[in-house]
Each structure stands twice: as C-alpha cells, then as structure tokens.
Amino acid sequence: MFSLANFDFNNNCLNAYKSIFELKLGNARAYISTEKKQHPNNSIIPLLENYVDYFTVLTSESKADFDRLKGNKSTRLDQISDDDKSSPYYLYAQAEINLQWALIRGRFGEYFNAAMEVKRANSLLQENNKKFPNFHLNLKGLGLINAVLGNLPDGALKTALSTFGIKGNLQSGLNMFEKLADNLPKSSYEPFYEEVVFYYAYVLTDVAHSLAGLCKNNKIYRTDCRYQFIKKLFAELCVY
C-alpha cells in the first residue's frame, strides 16, 4: 500500500498494524510472520515488531517483559540502517523505535536512557521533516515530543532532558496534532489516524487540559482501554 523501496507498508503490514492497535497482538504476530516469509527484507517488519513489544510492555506493565524485550531495539535499528536512505520511512522508523522505548524506559525509571532516546528521536524527525516536508507522519512524533516536554513537571526525567538541551512547546505540539487530525483522513496515510487520535486525546485532556479542544474532535476515545493504557503510561512518566 505504501511502497517505498524496501519499506513496503503492504496489506500484511497494514493488517498487522491494525491488529496491534486493536490490542490483538497474537494476530499481529501472525501477519508479521507471514510478511517475513513473503518479503523478508521489508524494513517495515522491525518497526511493526517494535510496536508489538511496545504494547506488550504497555499492557502487561511487567518489568520482566521490559527486561526481556528491550534488547530487541538495537537489532531492529541495525536492520533499518542498512536499507534505503532515500525513503521517508528510513529516518521515521528509527525515530519511532527510539521514541517508543523512551516512553517505556521512563515508566521503569531509566530516565537518562529515555532522555537520550527522546533526543535521538527528535533529531531524526526534525531531519526527516526537512527532507520530506510532505510526509505527514513526521508530525506525530514531533507533536508528542513538543506537547509532553512543553508541559513536563519538574523531576528526574525533566532534569535528564534538560541535560541534553531538549525542550518542548505545548502549543506547537497541539498545532501539529490538529494539522494531522485534519489532514490524515484525506491522505494516503489515513490508516494512521487512529494512533494520532489516541495521542491527541491524551495531549488535549491530560497535558493541555483543554475541554474546548476535545469537543472540537468528534472521534476521541477516552473510555477505550487503549486510551487508558496510554494515559497511565504518561501519568507515571510525569510523576518523577
């Protein structure tokens, strides 16, 4: 469906992605396994595998799962780094993997490593946005980084991020999410709308505390269990 060299978001990958966000992780693994057999060099595979790990730890809240899975990060980044540098997914996929692990590490108190990964993700997304300004998905990670960091309370994570000179801007993050929420349904990246909306819901209600902003968006799932997992992740991330 979104075919760019060896970054091919085909039907197997799209079905895996949808299954992940429906928390049907077993189904997602099956689609990924099929894709590995059919197109073993597709570099969307390590990104999807990382999504599975991310949601596995997010939903289980298990330190054992975290310790068991965190070593997969470097292997996946190595796989992607050997692929087509001219694809907008090349830097984007690396940024997503870094950002997902940063969020999970913060949950388990690894603030310094989390800060380094946020810095890396932000740098990759900024570079990708300059190279591919029409690649809408850049704004998802940039919006999240700006919004959360722009309103992060004092604590260990904020201190670690400050060490690297990383700051956010809440309004800039909100603007990025609003632009995405408006544009994705009308673009070829429409399948990513669900994920954007979930993060946007969190940012509007629990970061910006904007009921007016929430009311502007008629597809926010605050009662959905997936939203609750994400809300809890960020709530615990911001306590320290």
Side-chain angles (χ1 to χ4, degrees):
M1 185 176 180
F2 313 110
S3 181
L4 293 157
N6 284 331
F7 292 90
D8 186 6
F9 222 113
N10 55 38
N11 285 335
N12 277 333
C13 295
L14 185 59
N15 286 330
Y17 176 80
K18 288 180 177 178
S19 295
I20 290 165
F21 233 74
E22 291 170 357
L23 299 182
K24 297 176 181 177
L25 301 184
N27 289 353
R29 291 186 185 98
Y31 283 120
I32 292 169
S33 177
T34 298
E35 181 62 16
K36 278 185 167 181
K37 292 173 184 174
Q38 294 179 353
H39 308 107
N41 295 322
N42 185 357
S43 286
I44 293 296
I45 292 170
L47 174 60
L48 291 172
E49 289 178 323
N50 208 75
Y51 265 102
V52 171
D53 284 358
Y54 174 65
F55 276 97
T56 295
V57 179
L58 185 64
T59 55
S60 75
E61 302 180 314
S62 166
K63 180 67 160 56
D65 283 342
F66 170 68
D67 289 336
R68 175 174 58 87
L69 296 171
K70 65 182 180 180
N72 292 333
K73 176 198 166 190
S74 59
T75 302
R76 290 173 186 150
L77 290 176
D78 286 345
Q79 287 178 268
I80 294 169
S81 68
D82 291 333
D83 216 314
D84 179 19
K85 293 179 175 60
S86 66
S87 167
Y89 282 100
Y90 177 74
L91 297 177
Y92 170 78
Q94 295 178 68
E96 280 290 297
I97 290 172
N98 274 284
L99 187 55
Q100 287 172 6
W101 280 109
L103 297 174
I104 294 295
R105 284 187 206 281
R107 165 70 177 81
F108 291 102
E110 294 190 2
Y111 302 118
F112 186 78
N113 286 339
M116 287 196 298
E117 287 167 335
V118 170
K119 182 178 187 295
R120 179 62 175 155
N122 188 59
S123 175
L124 290 166
L125 289 169
Q126 293 281 7
E127 182 181 351
N128 209 42
N129 205 38
K130 290 177 182 177
K131 292 177 70 174
F132 304 101
N134 295 321
F135 185 67
H136 297 314
L137 300 183
N138 291 322
L139 297 184
K140 177 167 64 73
L142 288 172
L144 190 61
I145 290 169
N146 268 280
V148 175
L149 269 58
N151 209 36
L152 194 66
D154 292 337
L157 181 58
K158 187 172 184 177
T159 299
L161 289 164
S162 296
T163 301
F164 295 107
I166 308 171
K167 296 180 181 179
N169 183 288
L170 176 58
Q171 190 57 53
S172 292
L174 288 171
N175 291 344
M176 291 177 190
F177 273 118
E178 184 167 4
K179 183 177 180 180
L180 271 179
D182 287 343
N183 291 340
L184 282 191
K186 300 173 284 188
S187 76
S188 60
Y189 303 103
E190 187 274 337
F192 296 93
Y193 181 67
E194 294 277 326
E195 183 179 2
V196 167
V197 164
F198 277 104
Y199 284 123
Y200 192 17
Y202 168 76
V203 167
L204 280 171
T205 58
D206 293 275
V207 178
H209 306 292
S210 172
L211 292 177
L214 186 66
C215 291
K216 282 175 61 181
N217 296 274
N218 60 7
K219 200 178 180 186
I220 301 290
Y221 307 93
R222 296 188 64 204
T223 58
D224 189 290
C225 65
R226 295 168 293 182
Y227 175 81
Q228 298 305 318
F229 284 129
I230 291 169
K231 177 178 176 177
K232 186 172 183 181
L233 171 70
F234 283 100
E236 291 173 337
L237 192 66
C238 293
V239 164
Y240 300 96

